[in-house]
Amino acid sequence: MKKILLAALAFLVIAPTAVFATERPVARTLVALYDTRQESSPRITNIHRFLEMPANYLGYDMHYYPVNETLPALSDDIAGIVVWFNVGTEVPNPDVYLDWMLNAEQAGKKIIILENGGIGERHRKDSALVEKWNRVMAGIGMERGGGYVPHTYGARIDRKDGEMVEFERKLGA
């Protein structure tokens, strides 16, 4: 019994490197999509201007790809996809784009969408595209509801907590 116990303990000491642990490089590449119809170079994108430096600090390497061209293969070194299109930008090939995004999610890639994901009002008239877009959005915990609020000028106060508001002036005044 002692020999079996010692063999088991020896296995636990040796096994983590031999059996349980697998050596794989950590995925550190972020795919940044941009639209060449709006931004002539990655250097002028919001991703480069505002997000790349913090991503680099965290150890990520940003690789830029035009959404107007062939999208990259989803290799193991890709950790995620970053999308930050200008307001009003609609991707030129929404079916290809959404299929690629769905494949990325299925491959375990993280998706970050800032401001505009590239699916605009013209695309939202196609129910099949909206269904695909909602599947992409579901992967990050969101859903396209169909409503659109361009400004909050028509917003009204529904309820208020007196302990949280109206310290300096009454709301609506």
Side-chain angles (χ1 to χ4, degrees), residues 90-162:
E90 295 180 333
V91 295
N93 300 313
D95 272 316
V96 172
Y97 168 71
L98 292 173
D99 287 340
W100 184 82
M101 293 284 272
L102 287 168
N103 288 337
E105 282 185 341
Q106 290 171 356
K109 310 304 179 193
K110 301 298 181 189
I111 295 179
I112 301 168
I113 300 174
L114 300 165
E115 193 169 344
N116 176 15
I119 302 299
E121 289 304 313
R122 181 174 54 93
H123 299 140
R124 290 184 182 121
K125 293 176 183 169
D126 182 340
S127 61
L129 285 177
V130 171
E131 190 271 327
K132 275 187 189 181
W133 180 237
N134 276 334
R135 287 191 358 229
V136 169
M137 297 299 284
I140 58 174
M142 301 184 78
E143 179 183 356
R144 164 79 178 142
Y148 179 71
V149 181
H151 302 286
T152 57
Y153 300 130
R156 301 288 178 256
I157 298 167
D158 185 37
R159 4 175 193 180
K160 61 183 175 181
D161 182 346

Side-chain angles (χ1 to χ4, degrees), residues 22-29 75-79 109:
T22 59
E23 291 186 25
R24 286 188 358 208
V26 175
R28 293 288 182 193
T29 301
S75 59
D76 289 340
D77 66 327
I78 295 174
K109 310 304 179 193

